[in-house]
Amino acid sequence: MIYFLIGGGAGVLAGMFGIGGGILIVPAIVLLTGMNLKEAYGTSLAALLLPVGIFGCIIYYKEKLLDFKAAGAVAFGIVCTVGIGAYIANILDLKILKICYTIFLFYTSFKFITPKKLFKRHFAKDRNSTTAKEYSKELAIPEVVKPMYMKCIAVGLIAGFMSGFFGVGGGAVIVPLLTLWLKIPAKEAIATSLGILLPPIGLPGVLVYHSAGNLNFGVATCIAIGLLIGTIFGARLTIKLPVKLIKTSFGVLLLVTGIKFALNI
């Protein structure tokens, strides 16, 4: 039941943010059940092999937010490097792995919270000046930009390595890169990222973890079922809620998780 609930919670976040859910699954498994970190990585990656985000993708597709070509290009890049990331993770010392993962959590949390923009927003509220005008331009809805597919492959190469190394779906890397680098609107980037997770792109990494004895298929199955159900609710929430609100909330969650990991190193 604990693993199913972890999967369900991760599924909601997966649907909301276009991530695989591993960013929550890994620390939740370690902190709540005491599972070894390397085994948690492998188990998380295995849970993401199934098309757990399919119902969320259907919802995004109906809203015309899902770009299958961009998703395919990123997925190709992920397949190329996910095994490399998993191999390096299995040969590193566990303490080094924990430090790397904690840094990753802090980095990702600040990407979602964007404290600089929060400060500018607060500053702009109290000023009828050029700063306020400039900030209002930042909030303007960007035009939908068709992604350059070679850049999408590059995003996939980076995300694939991170996915194999940390046992996450790569969405925590994909969404910021698609948004900041390719200038794709946030909701479309989230939908595209979730679509990337439908095929079993993490298979090379899962095979590496399995051969190293760092994989629990029973736990992975329970988590996968929870993910499947949770993504439905997450996708519906994203469509209804302001993107800034859900991104900031998730960033705070990652920040708290990163602090917990830092205290346990």
Side-chain angles (χ1 to χ4, degrees):
M1 182 57 68
I2 290 175
Y3 294 122
F4 174 77
L5 291 174
I6 289 173
V12 172
L13 294 178
M16 289 177 71
F17 300 106
I19 61 175
I23 193 77
L24 175 64
I25 292 170
V26 173
I29 291 176
V30 174
L31 296 174
L32 296 179
T33 71
M35 182 183 286
N36 177 278
L37 187 60
K38 290 184 180 180
E39 188 177 354
Y41 285 164
T43 301
S44 171
L45 206 57
L48 301 173
L49 281 183
L50 298 175
V52 293
I54 188 166
F55 295 122
C57 284
I58 291 171
I59 293 170
Y60 283 125
Y61 180 73
K62 288 180 178 179
E63 296 291 326
K64 298 181 180 179
L65 293 170
L66 181 55
D67 185 338
F68 281 111
K69 289 183 180 179
V74 178
F76 173 78
I78 291 175
V79 171
C80 292
T81 55
V82 65
I84 298 171
Y87 175 77
I88 293 175
N90 276 290
I91 63 175
L92 280 180
D93 180 79
L94 194 59
K95 187 173 182 179
I96 295 174
L97 209 57
K98 282 185 176 182
I99 293 171
C100 290
Y101 191 66
T102 302
I103 293 171
F104 174 68
L105 285 172
F106 281 128
Y107 169 77
T108 310
S109 70
F110 280 99
K111 279 292 183 183
F112 275 96
I113 295 171
T114 56
K116 185 178 177 181
K117 286 187 179 179
L118 287 178
F119 175 78
K120 286 176 75 175
R121 177 185 294 176
H122 177 74
F123 184 71
K125 279 180 183 177
D126 300 322
R127 293 189 183 258
N128 254 332
S129 64
T130 309
T131 306
K133 291 176 183 176
E134 286 176 356
Y135 186 70
S136 66
K137 287 180 183 178
E138 269 188 48
L139 294 179
I141 299 172
E143 290 182 25
V144 176
V145 179
K146 289 188 177 181
M148 296 175 62
Y149 296 112
M150 289 304 295
K151 286 187 177 181
C152 286
I153 293 174
V155 169
L157 291 173
I158 298 170
F161 179 83
M162 299 288 280
S163 177
F165 193 85
F166 295 119
V168 300
V173 180
I174 294 168
V175 174
L177 285 177
L178 289 180
T179 305
L180 301 174
W181 188 21
L182 301 187
K183 308 299 180 185
I184 295 176
K187 288 189 179 181
E188 189 175 330
I190 289 169
T192 302
S193 178
L194 193 62
I196 292 164
L197 304 174
L198 292 181
I201 54 177
L203 183 59
V206 170
L207 294 175
V208 172
Y209 279 107
H210 177 62
S211 63
N214 290 318
L215 180 57
N216 188 318
F217 282 110
V219 172
T221 302
C222 292
I223 292 172
I225 294 171
L227 279 165
L228 189 66
I229 297 170
T231 52
I232 302 172
F233 299 100
R236 287 177 176 168
L237 279 173
T238 292
I239 290 170
K240 293 179 180 179
L241 295 177
V243 175
K244 187 61 191 174
L245 175 61
I246 55 179
K247 283 176 69 178
T248 303
S249 301
F250 183 59
V252 171
L253 174 63
L254 290 183
L255 185 60
V256 172
T257 305
I259 292 171
K260 286 186 177 181
F261 257 86
L263 293 175
N264 289 323
I265 292 176

